Amino acid sequence: PMSPYGFNGDGRDIPPGSTANDLMRNLAQEYQNLGFEEGPANRGEPQIEPARMAAEQMQKLLHDQLEESRAITIMRHVFFEMALLGTGILKGPFTDLKEYNSFDSAEDDEGNEINIRVKKVKTIPSIEAVSCWDFYPDPNATNINDCDYVIQRHSLNRQQFSDLRKMPYFNEEAIDMCLEEGPNYQVRGYESSLYNRETVETIYKNRFEVLEYWGVVSKEMAEECGIESDKSVISVNAWICGGKVLRMVENPFEPTRLPFMVCPYELNPYQFFGIGVPENMEDSQQIMNGHARMAIDNLALAGNLVFDVDETQLVP
């Protein structure tokens, strides 16, 4: 039987620019000499459904891409914050590069066939779960479509910060200057209780705080940063650390959009962030806590010592 996964050179590659009709035609050609006729099959006769076969191949491709982008783990984080804090935030999708090793056959100088290891690069989609604590939307907006801008705060260690130079359009000189100046992470007041760490200042002393900006800037500011455009308002993506611009490019999405999907657990039409499960059940939980405390207090009184006083023995 033919392998459902295929291999390089099996002749089953989809040529660039193919349409759905081309795929259907290729599938139909595989069965043209077997006596099949176009139309529905009679009872007990086999039937070939090219559309279903093409859909199954696309489904397999989607599952592979979700598996490679760790979608299950990332979506669990989004759903967790959506239920706990009221809002789940998903960033992406972006295009990422994945390196993997492959073995190809070749001949050595003596004509013997040998296997050589080849490093290959594959393009895969990538998504990211953004915490509500690191997400700062436009304060005048009530949903992501109304935002003029959003800011995402990153906490990077020295290695992660240095790896930014491998990303496209990052300024390596600005990254080197920030590395020379040292970590600059500013600890927020809520982080000690959020992460349950008393010495949060010492833990984050070797971190870099990087701000990622998605939004609009004026034409003058864009020209100062080397972005030429005929528009009066330009949508950009900028990365900033320690007052230095690490990256500033025009928004690559067409049509222009912010690459964040915000999902509230319960929609509050008058504010950006939604209402989660704990906030919904707060009143009911307080009533339950009150009843539990009352039952414990009554039990303590009922289980106490009991005195019997003979009033005839008291002094008048």
Side-chain angles (χ1 to χ4, degrees), residues 250-264:
E250 195 169 356
N251 193 323
F253 292 101
E254 187 67 34
T256 302
R257 66 178 181 88
L258 301 177
F260 295 92
M261 286 169 275
V262 180
C263 180

Side-chain angles (χ1 to χ4, degrees), residues 64-313:
D64 290 344
Q65 292 183 346
L66 291 173
E67 188 71 26
E68 288 179 326
S69 59
R70 300 188 305 111
I72 296 177
T73 303
I74 293 173
M75 293 301 294
R76 281 181 180 271
H77 186 276
V78 174
F79 295 149
F80 172 75
E81 286 210 342
M82 182 178 70
L84 180 69
L85 304 177
T87 306
I89 304 169
L90 183 68
K91 180 182 178 184
F94 295 100
T95 301
D96 203 356
L97 298 178
K98 179 181 179 181
E99 292 185 356
Y100 64 99
N101 294 322
S102 176
F103 291 91
D104 291 342
S105 59
E107 293 185 356
D108 57 8
D109 298 336
E110 300 177 356
N112 299 323
E113 186 173 339
I114 58 173
N115 291 329
I116 57 174
R117 186 170 63 90
V118 180
K119 181 179 290 186
K120 296 184 178 181
V121 179
K122 183 180 180 182
T123 302
I124 62 171
S126 64
I127 55 177
E128 178 186 352
V130 181
S131 175
C132 292
W133 300 103
D134 297 328
F135 189 73
Y136 299 86
D138 182 359
N140 297 320
T142 56
N143 58 69
I144 190 65
N145 296 323
D146 291 339
C147 288
D148 265 348
Y149 67 90
V150 295
I151 299 174
Q152 181 186 355
R153 188 168 66 106
H154 298 272
S155 170
L156 306 179
N157 58 30
R158 187 175 293 272
Q159 183 61 49
Q160 292 170 334
F161 186 77
S162 179
D163 288 342
L164 290 178
R165 67 179 75 245
K166 302 177 183 177
M167 305 291 287
Y169 303 110
F170 271 87
N171 188 344
E172 296 187 8
E173 295 181 0
I175 294 176
D176 293 336
M177 292 174 62
C178 292
L179 288 172
E180 292 177 1
E181 294 178 0
N184 60 348
Y185 189 84
Q186 299 179 7
V187 179
R188 300 302 190 270
Y190 59 82
E191 288 184 298
S192 58
S193 58
L194 178 64
Y195 299 112
N196 195 21
R197 296 169 179 169
E198 297 179 358
T199 58
V200 67
E201 290 83 1
T202 59
I203 294 176
Y204 286 104
K205 66 180 181 180
N206 61 341
R207 295 273 179 167
F208 291 86
E209 184 179 62
V210 181
L211 302 180
E212 181 182 358
Y213 175 89
W214 288 87
V216 295
V217 296
S218 63
K219 184 177 181 179
E220 292 77 13
M221 181 179 294
E223 290 178 351
E224 290 179 5
C225 297
I227 298 177
E228 300 291 339
S229 179
D230 298 334
K231 305 174 184 176
S232 57
V233 177
I234 304 171
S235 179
V236 300
N237 169 232
W239 292 60
I240 301 169
C241 178
K244 298 177 181 58
V245 179
L246 306 181
R247 177 183 192 256
M248 187 167 182
V249 296
E250 195 169 356
N251 193 323
F253 292 101
E254 187 67 34
T256 302
R257 66 178 181 88
L258 301 177
F260 295 92
M261 286 169 275
V262 180
C263 180
Y265 180 83
E266 181 179 312
L267 182 65
N268 187 340
Y270 308 111
Q271 67 179 21
F272 186 89
F273 293 99
I275 302 171
V277 175
E279 189 175 353
N280 267 328
M281 62 183 296
E282 181 180 8
D283 296 335
S284 301
Q285 189 65 50
Q286 287 182 351
I287 294 174
M288 294 170 63
N289 293 345
H291 281 287
R293 283 193 301 270
M294 183 174 63
I296 293 172
D297 293 341
N298 291 341
L299 180 63
L301 293 175
N304 212 335
L305 292 176
V306 179
F307 295 93
D308 186 12
V309 178
D310 185 3
E311 295 183 358
T312 62
Q313 300 298 319

